[in-house]
Amino acid sequence: MATNDVLNQPLRLLVVEDNEDDYLLLQDHLQACGVNMQSQCVDNETDLLKALEQPWDMVISDYSLPGTNGERILQLVRSKDPIVSFIFFSGTISEAAIIAAIKSGAQDYIMKNDLARLLPTLQREQREYVLRKEAFRQQERLNKLSMAITQTADGIVITDREGIIEYVNPAFERMTGHSAEDSIGQPTEQLYSSIDGPQYQADRNQVLHTGQAITRDIISLRKDHSPFHAEKCISPIRGQQGDITHLVSSIRDVTSRVTAERDRQRLANVLESTPDSVIMVDQQGTIVFANKAGQSLLRFDGATHPVGQSIAAVFPEELRVLYQGTILPALQTGGTWRDELWLHPEPDLETSIQTKPVSLVAMLEREPDSGEQIIALIGRDITEKKQFESELLFHSTHDTLTQLPNRPYARELLQNAVDMAERQTSKLAVLSMDLDNFKVINHSLGHSAGDKLLKEIKRRLSSCLRNTDIIARLGSDEFAVISSDVQKAEHVSAILSKIESVLKLPVRIDDTEFFVTASTGIAIYPQDGNTVDELLRKANIAMKTAQSRGQGQYQFYSAEIDAKGREYLELEADLRYAIINDELCLHYQPQIDVTDGHPVGVEALLRWNSPKRGLVSPAEFIPILESTGLINRVGEWVIAQACRQYHQFAEAGHTELRVSVNVSAVQFRDQEFHKKVESILIATGMPPEKLELEITENMLMQDPEGASRTLLTLANMGVRTAIDDFGTGYSSLSYLNTFPLTTLKIDQSFVRELDIDAGSGARDIVEASVALAHKLGMEVVAEGVETATQLKIIADTGCQLVQGYFFSKPLPEETIISYIRSTTSETKVSRNQAG
């Protein structure tokens, strides 16, 4: 029969069980196993709490009890004894309850139908209980040691070998004013004064070298710079290998052991060496000490001395009033006081001293011998600090480049203006201004030139507006003007006229002269809104509308343009879904050889067939693609889709056709554009010479050098390039030979005039363009041919290729091949008949 092999003393066992038979079964089983025990059974919380007043080695509890449960029983036991062994003895406990019980602190569980586990579990828990008790006793010893260090009156600092603080006790915090939070992790020298900092380093090195403790007297400064005498001992702490791993410094305040005279003298030496003003006043209001900086603060020149004089006679008025009315009451209740103030020279004092900000700290001290109250005033000139704060505030509220209020500060200023207008029942105007073509200037001349332009715009606006008007920079090239007291529309018109007068003058930057215009939107308080957000939003809506009408325009806000803005946003949202849902498609307009009428190529034109809106005009959605940046993604798709369409032409036997694709200015400015084209050619297997990319004159003129590089790269790849809408920039004819172009497309506006007004000059422009293009070896395509008259005149100018409704409107993919096939057949028949 097994015996209790853990303890010789009887096992003190508390059983929580409401079924007496189960308790007796448990008791009989343990006694049969030879367990020497003293047991008690309880079946409710009241009896349990009473039983827990005496110690137990183990608690065995049922999980399900009337009026309570196992979790509650475990909680009560742990509240009285955190280490006693606790075992659940149940016939109904679930697996989830078992897991929860173990996590809550139970040591084990035993099913009532598995008594074979009872004795091994009991023996194991008895052994572990002994270990837990020993660990608990050791922890208590550590807690007592920690409490001793925590409660000692000496300051204790533990550092690593390099002097980095790892622990300070509360006495150190009280003694020095440095909290554990701002001490731990800091070099010890940083918490010591300049007097004993270097000595501490030397002492630390000596202890590390000799392994012997060092004790010396020091004068240290608290966090508030008040001095105290201390006896400091630095001792080594050795690790398990005997090497020094840490240093412990004990600091004892021994100020009371130092004579009052020596204490005052040393304190005076320290205070004289500090640039802070230190003035001490007794409880009668007489100055008993003032260092040199303090004498300067009180405007004593050294020939006379403030010591012995009353504060009523020597304190500046604002300091005197503050001392009597605020500082003294605060010191009597709290012991310390601190604030910042501005000191002014006395009105009747002939001095060059200027008003200056001072940080002032007042502390109430007592003489160690007499107990007399001494008030120490420590002042520091914070002129530099205030200047820094002022500069920091300015930079946080102003644009660094132009020194104008930035967007957050402009909102604050606008709120102030709205509040004032509300009080005065007046109006104010918010002008949102966006520089036209600023990105082009930035890109062409560089960011430095762009910065100079922004500064010049700020200078011009400042020169023409009232001092009460507020100018702000809201973004890259976006300015705002807040003008108060504008009762009539004429007042705003006058402001706009002034702005226009200064902006119309040419700007010269780095030997380059150009003109700048701005698109301006205007919102009026209160008719257009009475909040900052409303006014800014509506001024911006009006500005966008002005932009859409061309450069240098302005627009007052109206509900109508707001509705158009909302419609624009809805259109943009639908367009994004259209891209996802493959609602975009390509239509193709044939390009015809006028000599025999056969097609030589097609121009791919983007179309949007919206289930909700129907066929949407490209003039509506392409600007949205460009403004949102979606044009890059869609533009690549268009090129790739056009290349795939070529293969359908080739499979139908029309390998001679070429495909033209319009390129957006946003795409063309992309430095990776030529690489993307090359990737599409490779992916689709498109012959490069069958692809023609169309760009506009404006795209060439915005950055001639960059455009030339891109066109040359495309030409080297074998891709054709055409200049589209030619003729709208007639002055750029001389630039044609500087770019590697293959095709010139005459704008349809000139073609349309050919059969309207013979004297319009359109024919001369067309003839000159065709002649110049042919001279440069370029093909010419006339766009928008709609009548036989236009076709004949175009043919007479020598232009060989045309496109327009006279031959065909743009056709969808499923129709264009049929058109090409039928047109080609008719051309062959005509040729055969002619032969």
Side-chain angles (χ1 to χ4, degrees):
M1 182 177 293
T3 60
N4 186 348
D5 58 351
V6 180
L7 296 175
N8 293 323
Q9 298 297 324
L11 171 66
R12 292 165 297 178
L13 176 64
L14 176 62
V15 179
V16 185
E17 176 61 70
D18 62 325
N19 189 319
E20 184 177 1
D21 291 339
D22 286 348
Y23 168 63
L24 294 176
L25 176 65
L26 174 68
Q27 187 179 46
D28 291 343
H29 180 80
L30 291 177
Q31 289 175 348
C33 293
V35 177
N36 182 14
M37 64 180 183
Q38 297 175 354
S39 66
Q40 179 182 347
C41 180
V42 296
D43 61 1
N44 59 73
E45 293 185 6
T46 302
D47 292 345
L48 172 64
L49 291 173
K50 185 175 181 180
L52 288 173
E53 293 176 358
Q54 56 181 305
W56 298 95
D57 297 325
M58 183 176 296
V59 177
I60 295 179
S61 173
D62 193 0
Y63 191 79
S64 300
L65 296 167
T68 186
N69 57 47
E71 293 181 6
R72 174 64 177 166
I73 297 300
L74 176 59
Q75 182 182 5
L76 292 175
V77 171
R78 285 288 174 252
S79 68
K80 295 295 184 178
D81 190 338
I83 65 171
V84 67
S85 296
F86 189 101
I87 298 173
F88 277 114
F89 183 64
S90 175
T92 60
I93 188 170
S94 66
E95 183 178 349
I98 290 170
I99 295 174
I102 298 301
K103 288 183 178 179
S104 300
Q107 271 66 48
D108 209 335
Y109 72 95
I110 298 173
M111 303 302 293
K112 291 182 178 181
N113 59 1
D114 188 15
L115 292 180
R117 288 190 62 239
L118 182 60
L119 180 61
T121 301
L122 181 146
Q123 291 174 330
R124 184 196 71 229
E125 282 307 315
Q126 278 296 85
R127 289 191 294 270
E128 292 185 1
Y129 176 62
V130 171
L131 296 176
R132 284 200 302 274
K133 284 176 49 176
E134 179 60 28
F136 188 75
R137 283 195 293 268
Q138 291 180 3
Q139 185 61 46
E140 283 189 322
R141 287 195 293 270
L142 289 175
N143 290 342
K144 291 176 181 178
L145 177 60
S146 175
M147 187 175 298
I149 295 176
T150 300
Q151 296 181 352
T152 181
D154 292 347
I156 303 296
V157 181
I158 299 176
T159 73
D160 62 13
R161 290 175 58 92
E162 285 70 37
I164 303 300
I165 295 175
E166 295 185 0
Y167 171 82
V168 296
N169 71 342
F172 175 85
E173 296 181 272
R174 293 191 298 271
M175 189 182 301
T176 66
H178 292 288
S179 67
E181 181 179 354
D182 60 26
S183 300
I184 294 174
Q186 299 296 324
T188 311
E189 296 89 331
Q190 186 167 319
L191 301 186
Y192 289 144
S193 70
S194 59
I195 299 172
D196 58 309
Q199 184 62 56
Y200 169 79
Q201 296 182 46
D203 291 346
R204 183 186 72 205
N205 292 336
Q206 183 175 341
V207 171
L208 291 172
H209 178 69
T210 65
Q212 301 298 317
I214 291 180
T215 301
R216 68 170 71 251
D217 289 339
I218 63 169
I219 300 176
S220 190
L221 296 179
R222 300 181 180 91
K223 184 177 182 178
D224 59 9
H225 296 288
S226 61
F228 70 99
H229 290 265
E231 179 183 85
K232 182 173 67 176
C233 178
I234 305 177
S235 304
I237 300 177
R238 300 183 183 276
Q240 295 182 351
Q241 305 300 324
D243 55 329
I244 298 175
T245 60
H246 292 76
L247 299 175
V248 57
S249 298
S250 62
I251 306 171
R252 176 171 298 176
D253 190 339
V254 294
T255 305
S256 60
R257 293 188 344 207
V258 182
T259 62
E261 183 58 33
R262 183 181 175 190
D263 183 48
R264 290 192 185 94
Q265 186 59 49
R266 288 188 175 182
L267 180 60
N269 290 339
V270 172
L271 297 180
E272 285 294 349
S273 66
T274 179
D276 295 342
S277 301
V278 181
I279 303 169
M280 296 185 180
V281 182
D282 65 16
Q283 57 191 21
Q284 286 76 38
T286 302
I287 297 175
V288 297
F289 175 83
N291 65 353
K292 291 181 180 179
Q295 296 175 45
S296 176
L297 179 70
L298 298 176
R299 306 183 184 103
F300 281 82
D301 56 8
T304 57
H305 205 281
V307 173
Q309 299 195 48
S310 169
I311 60 172
V314 299
F315 270 19
E317 181 181 0
E318 63 269 33
L319 182 57
R320 184 167 59 248
V321 172
L322 184 68
Y323 183 84
Q324 296 289 353
T326 303
I327 296 178
L328 283 180
L331 292 179
Q332 296 303 325
T333 57
T336 60
W337 174 92
R338 65 178 64 241
D339 204 349
E340 296 178 355
L341 67 153
W342 290 82
L343 292 182
H344 307 270
E346 294 291 346
D348 58 347
L349 188 64
E350 295 185 4
T351 177
S352 61
I353 298 177
Q354 303 296 317
T355 301
K356 63 180 177 181
V358 175
S359 172
L360 191 63
V361 177
M363 297 176 293
L364 181 63
E365 302 287 347
R366 292 187 180 275
E367 289 284 6
D369 296 334
S370 63
E372 181 184 3
Q373 290 184 349
I374 297 294
I375 295 173
L377 300 174
I378 303 173
R380 174 172 295 177
D381 185 344
I382 56 173
T383 301
E384 292 185 2
K385 173 176 176 284
K386 286 299 181 183
Q387 289 175 344
F388 175 76
E389 290 177 351
S390 177
E391 292 174 1
L392 189 62
L393 177 62
F394 182 85
H395 289 308
S396 68
T397 57
H398 288 72
D399 169 49
T400 304
L401 178 66
T402 63
Q403 308 298 296
L404 292 173
N406 56 20
R407 181 179 288 273
Y409 189 39
R411 291 175 60 86
E412 182 179 334
L413 295 174
L414 178 55
Q415 183 63 61
N416 295 338
V418 168
D419 293 342
M420 180 174 292
E422 182 180 11
R423 290 194 299 270
Q424 298 177 351
T425 319
S426 60
K427 295 182 179 181
L428 66 86
V430 179
L431 283 67
S432 178
M433 302 173 54
D434 196 86
L435 300 184
D436 300 320
N437 289 333
F438 176 74
K439 292 181 180 178
V440 176
I441 296 170
N442 230 6
H443 183 74
S444 302
L445 302 181
H447 291 285
S448 176
D451 290 346
K452 292 176 182 178
L453 172 60
L454 293 173
K455 291 181 181 178
E456 176 62 15
I457 296 300
K458 176 252 183 174
R459 186 193 68 78
R460 293 188 182 190
L461 292 176
S462 300
S463 69
C464 73
L465 297 176
R466 301 174 301 177
N467 292 333
T468 55
D469 293 333
I470 298 169
I471 309 170
R473 184 185 178 201
L474 303 185
S476 172
D477 58 344
E478 184 181 355
F479 292 83
V481 175
I482 303 170
S483 186
S484 301
D485 195 23
V486 289
Q487 299 306 319
K488 300 179 180 179
E490 290 81 358
H491 294 163
V492 180
S493 297
I495 295 172
L496 291 168
S497 179
K498 290 179 181 179
I499 294 174
E500 182 182 7
S501 66
V502 296
L503 291 185
K504 71 180 181 180
L505 300 175
V507 178
R508 176 170 287 276
I509 295 177
D510 299 335
D511 298 327
T512 301
E513 188 173 84
F514 51 88
F515 291 85
V516 178
T517 59
S519 300
T520 306
I522 307 101
I524 306 296
Y525 168 88
Q527 65 194 50
D528 294 332
N530 53 17
T531 67
V532 169
D533 287 335
E534 279 186 298
L535 291 170
L536 289 175
R537 182 181 69 84
K538 292 180 177 179
N540 190 64
I541 289 173
M543 183 269 289
K544 295 293 186 183
T545 303
Q547 277 182 327
S548 68
R549 298 208 313 267
Q551 298 183 2
Q553 303 294 313
Y554 68 85
Q555 173 70 52
F556 284 85
Y557 171 80
S558 68
E560 180 182 357
I561 65 171
D562 196 355
K564 289 181 179 179
R566 295 179 187 276
E567 182 181 348
Y568 176 92
L569 293 176
E570 291 178 4
L571 186 62
E572 178 187 337
D574 288 348
L575 181 56
R576 291 181 181 272
Y577 282 114
I579 296 172
I580 297 173
N581 298 329
D582 294 327
E583 296 174 14
L584 299 180
C585 63
L586 296 184
H587 285 192
Y588 299 89
Q589 186 170 41
Q591 294 174 344
I592 305 299
D593 187 331
V594 297
T595 59
D596 58 8
H598 80 275
V600 297
V602 294
E603 180 180 358
L605 298 168
L606 184 61
R607 295 291 184 263
W608 175 17
N609 192 6
S610 170
K612 181 170 73 173
R613 300 173 179 270
L615 196 61
V616 184
S617 169
E620 291 186 56
F621 70 85
I622 288 182
I624 298 177
L625 291 176
E626 292 180 332
S627 64
T628 58
L630 293 171
I631 193 66
N632 284 317
R633 173 182 168 188
V634 173
E636 291 179 42
W637 175 84
V638 169
I639 296 174
Q641 190 68 13
C643 290
R644 296 187 187 98
Q645 181 63 40
Y646 167 79
H647 286 293
Q648 294 187 30
F649 293 146
E651 290 173 2
H654 306 294
T655 58
E656 76 286 354
L657 292 178
R658 62 174 180 247
V659 181
S660 296
V661 177
N662 290 285
V663 175
S664 161
V666 177
Q667 285 178 273
F668 193 68
R669 285 197 298 267
D670 184 356
Q671 295 182 355
E672 301 293 316
F673 175 65
H674 63 281
K675 294 183 180 178
K676 294 176 180 178
V677 172
E678 184 177 25
S679 297
I680 292 172
L681 293 174
I682 295 172
T684 61
M686 176 72 169
E689 68 277 6
K690 296 301 180 182
L691 175 64
E692 184 171 78
L693 302 178
E694 299 185 10
I695 60 176
T696 64
E697 287 182 81
N698 287 337
M699 292 159 60
L700 296 179
M701 294 302 101
Q702 287 176 2
D703 181 14
E705 185 177 344
S708 182
R709 285 196 302 268
T710 300
L711 291 174
L712 184 60
T713 303
L714 292 171
N716 290 335
M717 291 163 49
V719 176
R720 298 170 58 89
T721 50
I723 181 166
D724 196 13
D725 300 335
F726 190 80
T728 57
Y730 182 67
S731 60
S732 64
L733 280 169
S734 59
Y735 282 75
L736 282 179
N737 65 340
T738 64
F739 299 106
L741 299 164
T742 56
T743 306
L744 183 147
K745 300 190 74 175
I746 298 174
D747 186 65
Q748 62 180 347
S749 61
F750 295 100
V751 174
R752 192 175 297 120
E753 293 182 12
L754 291 178
D755 57 358
I756 297 175
D757 184 0
S760 65
R763 179 165 184 156
D764 294 336
I765 293 176
V766 173
E767 287 180 345
S769 300
V770 172
L772 178 59
H774 285 169
K775 186 175 181 179
L776 297 174
M778 299 170 59
E779 289 186 350
V780 182
V781 179
E783 298 182 291
V785 176
E786 298 179 354
T787 68
T789 301
Q790 293 172 353
L791 177 61
K792 182 178 184 309
I793 296 174
I794 287 293
D796 290 344
T797 64
C799 177
Q800 189 176 2
L801 304 178
V802 295
Q803 68 181 83
Y805 278 24
F806 183 75
F807 294 96
S808 173
K809 65 179 181 179
L811 300 172
E813 295 180 7
E814 58 271 16
T815 309
I816 185 62
I817 292 182
S818 298
Y819 176 87
I820 296 295
R821 182 183 299 112
S822 63
T823 306
T824 303
S825 299
E826 291 173 4
T827 302
K828 290 181 179 179
V829 171
S830 298
R831 287 176 179 173
N832 292 334
Q833 291 175 350

